Amino acid sequence: MTEMHVRGLTIAVHAGDRDEALAFYSALLGREPDLGPDPDFYEWEISPGAWLQLATGRTDINPSSFRLRFQVEDIEASAGVLRAKGFEPGDIKWLPGLVAFANLTDPWGNPLGVYQDLGVVAGP
């Protein structure tokens, strides 16, 4: 029996109006999509082999049941940048030695956020 070797991942988010969705996610990520293979489908490579896919023009949106958080180097500065761009991140939550994060949602109710890795704690 051979093992499956996962080499990457894609995460798809459904959104409504194309122009509004592109503006929201381009501002959030600080750049335009890397790919737009279809007039209602766009992709950003977040890190090598990890892609955020945006499917726009949807009218039957059920917000995601999972939260998609993006890693940042400085959680406080990033939360400030988000606020300056008109986003509304929540309060920063700190788990000392582990992680700090702030949550927000997109206009269609999809749960998002940013986080900062504060270090690794060795397991038992």
Side-chain angles (χ1 to χ4, degrees):
M1 174 186 222
T2 61
E3 295 294 321
M4 178 177 76
H5 297 282
V6 176
R7 299 173 55 111
L9 71 102
T10 62
I11 298 172
V13 174
H14 292 181
D17 180 77
R18 180 182 71 84
D19 292 338
E20 183 182 4
L22 272 175
F24 179 91
Y25 280 93
S26 293
L28 177 68
L29 298 171
R31 61 189 171 90
E32 296 296 314
D34 296 305
L35 298 172
D38 180 81
D40 281 320
F41 193 82
Y42 302 90
E43 297 183 83
W44 288 261
E45 188 173 26
I46 303 303
S47 62
W51 292 81
L52 172 65
Q53 299 176 322
L54 179 64
T56 66
R58 304 300 170 106
T59 57
D60 58 343
I61 299 167
N62 291 317
S64 170
S65 62
F66 63 88
R67 184 169 301 278
L68 173 60
R69 287 193 184 108
F70 300 97
Q71 185 177 17
V72 296
E73 290 184 27
D74 183 329
I75 190 70
E76 291 175 322
S78 296
V81 167
L82 289 172
R83 286 186 190 94
K85 289 182 176 184
F87 294 99
E88 298 179 8
D91 293 337
I92 297 171
K93 306 292 184 199
W94 296 88
L95 300 175
L98 294 175
V99 68
F101 60 91
N103 295 328
L104 62 141
T105 58
D106 74 8
W108 303 274
N110 291 302
L112 306 170
V114 291
Y115 75 95
Q116 178 183 342
D117 185 356
L118 300 177
V120 178
V121 175

